[in-house]
């Protein structure tokens, strides 16, 4: 009798633990969905990949993109950001819901231009951003494309007082699932 009670308790404990694991795994995978991953074949070199976070990352859903540039990557001051994306990306952006955060402080923007025909978002800070700062570009009210896939968002900058040519800074490799 004691053996049956002990084995029944073990069996019920095993079922409870298994249930908890299966319940928690989808939550963990959804948390990891918005984080940059590892690209095994092709794509930009590791040193050119920029960090990001997607709040949701689901195909066809409304989302918020947090595109990050580390202080080490920003070795020049910035008077303009130019973010281009592939022509097969069919999402949409709200240019009124764009923020630039420098070292955890939102900075005022002079203008944001979304050039749909050339697959380009241009962001003009009111004052140049000094070199050596952590920058986060927040794109809110983004309508994700309905097709799942991997999309390369390239970041280029123009520095104040420099020749007005865009310089490549890095690439965010976004995955919409």
């Amino acid at each position: 009798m004691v053996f049956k009670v002990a084995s029944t308790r073990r069996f019920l404990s095993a079922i409870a633990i298994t249930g908890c694991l299966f319940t928690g795994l989808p939550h963990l995978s959804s948390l990891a969905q918005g984080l940059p991953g590892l690209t095994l074949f092709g794509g930009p070199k590791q040193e050119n990949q920029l960090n990001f976070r997607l709040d949701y990352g689901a195909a066809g859903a409304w989302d918020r993109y947090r595109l990050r540039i580390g202080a080490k990557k920003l070795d020049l001051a910035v008077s303009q950001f130019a973010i281009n994306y592939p022509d097969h990306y069919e999402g949409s952006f709200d240019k009124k819901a764009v923020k630039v955060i420098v070292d955890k402080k939102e900075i005022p923007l002079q203008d944001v231009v979304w050039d749909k025909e050339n697959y380009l978002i241009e962001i003009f800070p009111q004052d140049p951003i000094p070199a050596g700062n952590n920058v986060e570009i927040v794109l809110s009210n983004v309508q994700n494309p309905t097709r799942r896939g991997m999309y390369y968002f390239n970041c280029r900058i123009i520095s104040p007082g420099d020749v007005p040519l865009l310089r490549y800074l890095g690439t965010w490799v976004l995955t919409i699932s």
Side-chain angles (χ1 to χ4, degrees), residues 1-175:
M1 183 77 158
V2 173
F3 177 71
K4 287 188 176 186
V5 171
S7 65
T8 304
R9 283 186 183 168
R10 278 192 214 134
F11 178 71
L12 291 175
S13 296
I15 289 177
I17 290 171
T18 304
C20 289
L21 286 174
F22 283 122
T23 304
L25 283 177
H27 178 67
L28 288 175
S29 69
S30 69
L31 285 176
Q33 199 67 300
L35 300 175
L38 175 66
T39 305
L40 295 176
F41 301 104
K45 294 180 182 178
Q46 185 67 32
E47 62 266 12
N48 291 331
Q49 291 185 23
L50 300 172
N51 289 329
F52 67 92
R53 171 112 179 129
L54 304 181
D55 282 0
Y56 305 103
W62 289 99
D63 212 337
R64 180 179 301 118
Y65 296 179
R66 300 172 187 276
L67 309 175
R68 298 180 178 134
I69 304 167
K72 290 182 182 178
K73 286 295 261 181
L74 210 62
D75 55 357
L76 296 170
V78 178
S79 61
Q80 176 188 345
F81 292 99
I83 301 170
N84 68 311
Y85 54 93
D87 59 356
H88 63 275
Y89 178 90
E90 297 171 349
S92 64
F93 304 98
D94 181 357
K95 67 181 192 170
K96 295 177 185 171
V98 174
K99 295 180 188 175
V100 176
I101 300 170
V102 178
D103 288 332
K104 299 184 181 181
K105 294 180 183 175
E106 184 178 346
I107 63 161
L109 300 178
Q110 180 178 335
D111 197 13
V112 175
V113 177
W114 178 26
D115 185 353
K116 297 176 190 178
E117 290 79 30
N118 292 312
Y119 312 102
L120 179 68
I121 301 168
E122 294 176 300
I123 303 169
F124 300 90
Q126 196 168 11
D127 296 315
I129 298 169
N133 286 299
N134 290 311
V135 174
E136 183 176 66
I137 299 171
V138 180
L139 305 176
S140 297
N141 299 335
V142 176
Q143 176 69 51
N144 282 338
T146 55
R147 290 191 321 187
R148 299 174 180 183
M150 188 178 298
Y151 301 97
Y152 292 178
F153 279 52
N154 297 306
C155 180
R156 295 175 296 156
I157 62 167
I158 291 181
S159 295
D162 198 7
V163 177
L165 293 175
L166 291 167
R167 296 174 189 251
Y168 174 74
L169 200 60
T171 301
W172 296 285
V173 182
L174 306 183
T175 303

